[in-house]
Amino acid sequence: MLHPIRLSVGTFAKRILLVLALAATVGQFVAAQGDEGRYGGELRFAVIGDIDNMDAIYAPSGIGVGTAHRLVFDGLALLNPSTGEYQPRLAESWEILDDGMRWRFHLRQGVLFHNGEELTSEDVKYTFDVARNPEFESPYIARFASVDDVVAVDRYTLDVVLDSPILPALAQSVWEHYIHPKSVYEADRAGFADNPVGTGPFIPVEWVRGLQMVLVRNEDYYRGRPYFDRVVLRVMPEPAARLLALEADELDLVMDVAFEDVPRLRRDPNLQLFATGPNNVQLISFFWEDPLVGGAANKTIRQALAYAIDEGSILALYEDVGGEASKNILPPSTWGYNDNVPTYDFDPERALELFAQEGWTRDASGALRNAAGEQFALSLLTTPDRIGMLDAAQVIQQSLQDIGIAVRIDSYEFTTYFEDMRTGNYQVRVARRNDINDPNLLRTYFHSSTIPAQNRGWYRNDRVDELLEAGLSEQDRDARERLYLEAQEIMADELPSYPIAATPAWLAAQSDIVLPDDMLLSHMVDVTHFVWRMYRQ
Amino acid sequence: MAGLGKYALRRIIAFVPVLLLLLILVFMLVHLAPGDPVALMFESDPRATQADIDRMRATFGLDRPLPVQFWQFLQRIVTGDLGNSLHTREPVLRMITDRLPYTVTLGVTSLVFSIVFALLLGVLAAVRRGTWIDDVCMVLALLGVSIPNFWLGLMSILLFSVILGWLPAGGAGSPAHLVLPAIALGTTWAALSARLVRSSMLEVLGQDYVRTGHAKGLTASVVTYKHALRNAVIPVVTYLGIQIPGIVGGSVVTETVFSRPGIGRLLVESISRRDLMVVEGVVLMIGVVVLVSNLLVDLSYGLVDPRIRYE
């Protein structure tokens, strides 16, 4: 059992320990800072899903192909999740004009596509125009909904004209959209999927679907010459097979290492392990329309359930892998994170008091019943296909059974889990989020207008809607932060979802691979952005 | 021979209703299973809106009533068009033909492995019946049947790739890449067939003509391998007919463990993202393979046993 104060001290100490452990592990590459990297060699890198269609306008960016896209293409700018600010990529600077109705991008000069042509504002305009043209059936069309016009002002200047003022941070999909060369795409759009041409650090030269893609260094990459001659992306969907291939020295880098494998890999002298984050927040989410646990009326029930859950036992599962308590759905590494929200540390007595207020008391056998004699029964939706989610469900089941609640775990393969979640066919579910890297995402996941596509708990609160809406157009960052802090406070009280733990993502690499020293600090989920600066000692 | 041709033709005509039934079943299964392919496509994308999802669903025609979708599906299949993948938007036929060679090479290799292994083990056990050799062979066969190919695959990677470093842990492209997956995939069938070969060999070895063979002075090996074995393999050939679809099914697991880009893995990946077009195409292809392989096995009886006639 953990107490509030012990919890925060413990968390702090754990964090320090984690940082120290990381510092010790990564000592060699921190020392390498400032050194010139070694050129040459090959990086063998496992991707989880298939690399299928390389046309980044037409095909959805899945897990495998997304990695390949990031090596081959670039957008205008890339959002840095720790600061909420954009880092320049193909655009070296930008201005917000006409009271936010016009974004003006100044493109970097001399950026070459893989075919040797120079990138100009015409290419960017063409890419955006194709993506927002309904005839082209791009999956990204709705994200250009607020874009009224795209104007190539001169060879290196581009204006994006909006129909309403939107903060750039909220239009990530536009700012990061991969730019295709107009001449190549226009000439043979169907062929582009097989022979993509981008401005990225690596150029695909050999590609066997489902097996691997071989890329060579782009000598003219505008951010500098990548160290590795070649990158081999090997498609390996099975986690155990990925790790065995790493141990057999057939791979150099593996992402998303399962927690149970971390201690074993740590003992292997040929490997090094890294943690980024913690930005995976594990939580339970209540279905807002459920008569027993959902809606504003059942706030006390949700709070009672939160008190009844033994977070300490869940955290114990993550003791060796840098897991820490989480009091907020935003990871602590995000700007706008509210550290002063109410918490519900394990307190079964308090839970029973709250249940009693709502008319639920324990009978002689210990079961929690209402006046009509019905037992408090819950179904808990989870999936074995995401790291840690089934384990957490089992601990939650145990905690709730201890105070007399009947809990049934519905554990399904991810697709069925996702469908039940999307259609609201559940009471309570275990979830894991690793993509909330900007407080604006609270709007994505909790605003009533995004039910059911993104607001999968169907949460509704007028004040929260108002605050998140205001965050869309508030230009002053401090004022914007205050809006998000208040929204988090309301949600911590109402508990549409209850965060349990935050865990880092682990990656493993051969010990002679040197990773850029700013990679770990960046909280970037995908290390692909750093591949061009990795090298072998 | 005319009988054989007529028989084959009749069987091929009978394929049509079977395939139609298969199509209906596959269509119902993939469309009624929980999971929306378009919503899944945007699952990990926080920027996707309901408008994105609805628009894509309309683009793929998934907003139309099921009977209409089924009719369009049949029209496409009849014209030989398997459609485009919802997820990658590539032609399904190309995805299948890209992947098929990997599954075929793995299937053939594991089939050869399992036949050779089964004959060696089964004949040895039958000829040395009741000795310790028989016991060892049958314990090996029992182990082979009992070990799941998923576990066997991972353990063989651990031993031969990680510890000994002799063979690649996964991938495709060279004969070395085939060894471990072929063994992992073929072991169960090898072990089952070995038991079958043993019992059918024992039965044949007790026949009169075997005794006659011995009596007229033929060597033991000629009797065993020329006369007895030929008659003992008929049940094994029948078994082969069941084994071919089994190998396609087994490739689902084996190709995932060994990171091989075959049909089995394509099917698993497509099911998990509910890529309806690809699932339909692959299942249809597997159905055709099973029907054709069963037909070939039936036709091959005549080659193995000239007494069998087709009417």
Side-chain angles (χ1 to χ4, degrees), chain B residues 214-266:
Chain B
H214 283 298
K216 72 178 186 183
L218 294 178
T219 60
S221 63
V222 170
V223 174
T224 310
Y225 297 108
K226 195 168 171 206
H227 296 280
L229 185 59
R230 183 144 182 210
N231 287 299
V233 293
I234 293 183
V236 180
V237 172
T238 313
Y239 207 50
L240 214 63
I242 314 172
Q243 190 174 352
I244 290 169
I247 281 192
V248 177
S251 70
V252 168
V253 173
T254 313
E255 287 172 352
T256 306
V257 172
F258 289 96
S259 314
R260 285 182 67 85
I263 291 291
R265 216 183 77 202
L266 180 65

Side-chain angles (χ1 to χ4, degrees), chain A residues 132-145:
Chain A
R132 63 199 196 91
N133 180 349
E135 278 175 31
F136 281 87
E137 297 173 356
S138 166
Y140 305 110
I141 183 167
R143 297 163 214 192
F144 286 86

Side-chain angles (χ1 to χ4, degrees), chain A residues 50 53 137 142 209 250 415, chain B residues 52 89-90 94 99 169 272:
Chain A
D50 198 2
N53 191 333
E137 297 173 356
R209 280 185 171 67
E250 288 178 26
T415 309
Chain B
D52 282 316
R89 310 187 82 172
E90 291 177 302
R94 190 182 100 178
R99 309 267 192 134
S272 66

Side-chain angles (χ1 to χ4, degrees), chain A residues 69-70 73-78 87-91 107-108 119 124 128 172-179 199-200 222:
Chain A
H69 282 172
R70 275 185 282 280
F73 298 109
D74 262 308
L76 293 175
L78 184 71
Q87 298 167 343
R89 285 291 183 268
L90 296 178
L107 301 186
R108 214 180 274 258
L119 167 101
V124 184
F128 286 1
Q172 201 181 348
S173 52
V174 178
W175 286 59
E176 291 183 358
H177 200 284
Y178 298 127
I179 306 305
T199 52
Y222 65 92

Side-chain angles (χ1 to χ4, degrees), chain A residues 422-452:
Chain A
R422 208 178 61 81
T423 52
N425 183 25
Y426 68 94
Q427 275 188 297
V428 186
R429 69 184 169 96
V430 181
R432 194 175 79 127
R433 290 234 76 105
N434 62 3
D435 51 0
I436 302 194
N437 51 24
D438 186 288
N440 170 59
L441 283 165
L442 293 173
R443 181 183 166 276
T444 306
Y445 295 123
F446 294 102
H447 193 279
S448 62
S449 69
T450 64
I451 298 172

Side-chain angles (χ1 to χ4, degrees), chain A residues 239-298:
Chain A
R242 284 198 293 274
L243 292 185
L244 285 171
L246 180 76
E247 290 172 273
D249 196 17
E250 288 178 26
L251 284 176
D252 293 310
L253 193 62
V254 169
M255 294 196 300
D256 254 337
V257 176
F259 295 150
E260 60 264 28
D261 293 314
V262 169
R264 180 170 60 88
L265 296 182
R266 253 190 206 129
R267 289 195 297 273
D268 189 330
N270 299 318
L271 299 178
Q272 43 181 344
L273 277 159
F274 306 96
T276 58
N279 45 14
N280 286 307
V281 176
Q282 198 164 61
L283 50 104
I284 57 168
S285 184
F286 299 96
F287 182 52
W288 205 246
E289 311 272 305
D290 185 79
L292 187 64
V293 296
N298 289 316

